[in-house]
Amino acid sequence: MANRSWAEPYKIKMVEPIRMTTREYRQEAIKEAGYNTFLLKAEDVYIDLLTDSGTSAMSDYQWAGLMLGDEAYAGSKSFYHLVDAVRDVYGYEELIPTHQGRGAEHILSQILIKPGDVVPGNMYFTTTRFHQEYAGGSFVDVIIDEAHQPDSEHPFKGNIDLAKLQAVIDEYGADRIPYVSFESDVNLAGGQPASMANYREVFEFCTKHGILVMLDATRALENAYFIQQREGGYHDKSVGEILAEICSYSDGATVSSKKDNLVNIGGFLALRDAELARRARALLVAFEGLHTYGGMSGRDMEALARGIYEMVENDDHVAARVGQVQYLGDKLIKAGVPIVRPVGGHGIFLDAAAILPHLPQTDFPAEALTAALYVDAGVRGMERGIVSAGRDPATGDHHYPKLELVRLAIPRRVYTQAHMDVTAESVVSVYQDREAINGLRFTYEPSELRFFQARFEPLS
Ligand SMILES: *Cc1c(COP(=O)(O)O)cnc(C)c1O
């Protein structure tokens, strides 16, 4: 429809109250949380943009599915519904259900990576890289340079640079590369997609060298939408057709169902090769659960199967989902707030390095900005910078990511346009007072995935 704004393709049947607190209350709450928004109590948050992971609102059809979940220990009916959904929508034959995405990453890394191996990928994701390193591999970033430039308007900043991939092969040899880890709609780059041309080229290139391509297809739906909007030849294809084509250029995928798939918990590893799947199932029983439930209850699998069909039933769902993110992004861009451009699929990424140039990266500018935003209006975001990047296990020094960001992730089907307005007003007011924001230092630094539980205090 020309000249009409996007609107939600649903109406609200049930509501959950949220609470606005005072600034003094929030100052105390963030101090108690060690200036880490992961450690806040959710009831102290007004608009929760910490993550879009597991925070989606399910449909009435999915809720109805919970009642129909088959809780048989082995061979549950709901498991077979899930197998059908993954085959029909993603196109993979072998399904290994897990408790969430990282469970799938663990199993995949353990069956494919040997100590000393190298895993090239397009930027890294925290849990993905953790499992690659935990299995003895090391991760090499092969994303295009534009991904590291917050103001580059490249339409496919998630693309893999084939010259960088070739250089990794030249340096280590193809037999030390078990697979290329190809993330769709790259989270840490700002929710930035790869193009279909790139998916195709990478798969052809890797197949030629005997290297597998494993997608992190967690956000492949949002990636498919951007391909439909931006890439020649895909305008008239449905998002579901595009998603299936993306997956056709891979040997398997890990998926956190807490994102695109519209459920609160769940995930899976999907494969084409039956022998690889057999090895994955052998480990699954030790780490997750029997091969027909992994880490999920029957009702979880039923709601998940329905969510997978629902996300591609028509294109309105993803158009409204990405449209809402775009709406918030446009407001911030108009107000002059530095954010990652173009606006990505699942959230807004504030450029903390540009907003707080008076803080060196070792004073954790993104963590400090996240805390300031919570204090202003109770909006909770997440640090995605040096704290999330962690330390290099070899040298013990921080990783120094080029991007120092605060992510405001938008849950699916949860908040209204008015919530987006309040969020934009708060970000703008924090931006105007940015010079008052001080850096932070650790009072507690966990050794693994430190961003989840680290504690800080303000530098005076
Ligand atoms: C969330 C996420 C994961 C990890 O999944 P969990 O379900 O949180 O374990 C992996 N990759 C990407 C791209 C993600 O967004």
Side-chain angles (χ1 to χ4, degrees):
M1 272 190 292
N3 306 318
R4 296 285 188 285
S5 16
W6 65 273
E8 294 80 356
Y10 52 82
K11 57 185 178 176
I12 296 168
K13 189 179 292 204
M14 193 185 288
V15 297
E16 177 183 344
I18 50 178
R19 186 168 67 112
M20 184 61 163
T21 52
T22 63
R23 172 177 282 268
E24 291 67 39
Y25 183 93
R26 292 190 294 276
Q27 270 161 345
E28 204 44 47
I30 195 74
K31 190 170 160 199
E32 262 175 49
Y35 296 85
N36 181 349
T37 50
F38 275 103
L39 301 179
L40 286 168
K41 292 193 182 115
E43 64 175 351
D44 291 339
V45 174
Y46 180 46
I47 298 174
D48 203 349
L49 308 183
L50 181 74
T51 175
D52 64 335
S53 177
T55 52
S56 302
M58 294 204 296
S59 66
D60 52 358
Y61 185 65
Q62 288 177 287
W63 278 103
L66 291 184
M67 290 303 296
L68 298 170
D70 176 359
E71 304 303 339
Y73 187 89
S76 154
K77 199 159 64 182
S78 303
F79 168 72
Y80 290 105
H81 291 164
L82 181 56
V83 170
D84 289 344
V86 170
R87 185 188 299 123
D88 291 348
V89 173
Y90 291 91
Y92 299 111
E93 286 299 320
E94 303 285 347
L95 172 75
I96 290 103
T98 60
H99 75 287
Q100 58 185 83
R102 70 198 70 184
E105 292 166 352
H106 178 213
I107 305 291
L108 179 71
S109 301
Q110 291 295 325
I111 59 173
L112 287 179
I113 300 173
K114 297 184 301 303
D117 279 354
V118 173
V119 185
N122 49 343
M123 203 165 269
Y124 73 99
F125 185 76
T126 49
T127 57
T128 318
R129 191 181 66 193
F130 172 85
H131 279 298
Q132 290 162 359
E133 290 173 349
Y134 189 69
S138 41
F139 167 83
V140 185
D141 188 9
V142 292
I143 203 166
I144 58 171
D145 288 338
E146 286 85 346
H148 294 287
Q149 297 155 7
D151 52 1
S152 157
E153 293 274 0
H154 194 294
F156 293 109
K157 289 165 99 170
N159 279 354
I160 285 180
D161 185 331
L162 283 170
K164 289 186 187 174
L165 193 53
Q166 181 66 56
V168 179
I169 295 178
D170 293 344
E171 186 172 350
Y172 299 96
D175 25 320
R176 284 180 59 197
I177 305 175
Y179 63 95
V180 168
S181 179
F182 199 163
E183 185 184 332
S184 53
D185 219 43
V186 180
N187 195 336
L188 295 195
Q192 302 292 330
S195 68
M196 192 69 87
N198 194 245
Y199 282 111
R200 194 181 305 119
E201 271 167 15
V202 167
F203 189 58
E204 281 167 7
F205 178 90
C206 287
T207 305
K208 195 177 75 194
H209 285 92
I211 298 169
L212 300 175
V213 174
M214 292 296 169
L215 298 183
D216 180 339
T218 295
R219 300 168 184 283
L221 175 74
E222 288 158 14
N223 197 126
Y225 178 70
F226 285 123
I227 288 174
Q228 185 193 55
Q229 299 299 307
R230 297 178 186 168
E231 192 164 351
Y234 287 92
H235 237 72
D236 297 328
K237 295 215 155 118
S238 73
V239 168
E241 288 168 323
I242 298 170
L243 173 62
E245 187 179 339
I246 291 174
C247 296
S248 74
Y249 304 126
S250 72
D251 298 287
T254 55
V255 171
S256 166
S257 296
K258 303 173 72 171
K259 325 289 170 62
D260 281 352
N261 293 166
L262 297 168
V263 288
N264 304 118
I265 193 74
F268 57 88
L269 167 62
L271 295 165
R272 294 195 198 289
D273 185 71
E275 169 57 20
L276 258 190
R278 191 192 57 74
R279 281 162 53 199
R281 289 187 186 109
L283 282 186
L284 195 75
V285 291
F287 289 106
E288 298 279 320
L290 193 74
H291 64 282
T292 61
Y293 70 84
M296 285 180 283
S297 64
R299 67 181 84 93
D300 290 337
M301 291 190 287
E302 194 62 43
L304 172 53
R306 291 175 182 221
I308 289 172
Y309 283 120
E310 202 166 288
M311 72 178 188
V312 293
E313 200 173 292
N314 56 51
D315 295 353
D316 297 347
H317 159 66
V318 68
R321 189 281 184 284
V322 178
Q324 188 178 41
V325 176
Q326 191 77 49
Y327 174 83
L328 175 59
D330 287 346
K331 288 207 141 201
L332 296 178
I333 290 169
K334 275 204 196 91
V337 179
I339 67 171
V340 174
R341 321 257 304 252
V343 171
H346 65 292
I348 302 302
F349 290 71
L350 307 175
D351 184 353
I355 295 172
L356 303 175
H358 58 289
L359 299 184
Q361 198 169 19
T362 46
D363 287 356
F364 311 129
E367 192 82 48
L369 183 60
T370 310
L373 199 58
Y374 169 72
V375 170
D376 183 73
V379 173
R380 171 156 75 167
M382 181 195 291
E383 193 262 10
R384 292 274 90 155
I386 186 169
V387 179
S388 296
R391 290 184 187 271
D392 183 334
T395 67
D397 192 9
H398 300 290
H399 287 292
Y400 292 91
K402 294 199 187 88
L403 298 180
E404 181 70 21
L405 307 175
V406 173
R407 185 182 77 175
L408 302 176
I410 315 297
R412 295 165 186 77
R413 309 194 290 203
V414 170
Y415 290 113
T416 65
Q417 187 153 324
H419 290 120
M420 296 300 108
D421 292 341
V422 170
T423 301
E425 287 156 16
S426 176
V427 172
V428 170
S429 103
V430 169
Y431 177 65
Q432 283 162 353
D433 290 338
R434 59 195 178 276
E435 271 149 40
I437 298 173
N438 284 331
L440 298 169
R441 67 169 156 247
F442 277 117
T443 58
Y444 167 59
E445 181 185 354
S447 58
E448 307 295 345
L449 297 174
R450 63 183 184 182
F451 58 97
F452 282 129
Q453 293 177 79
R455 301 184 71 86
F456 303 86
E457 65 187 9
L459 294 163
S460 45

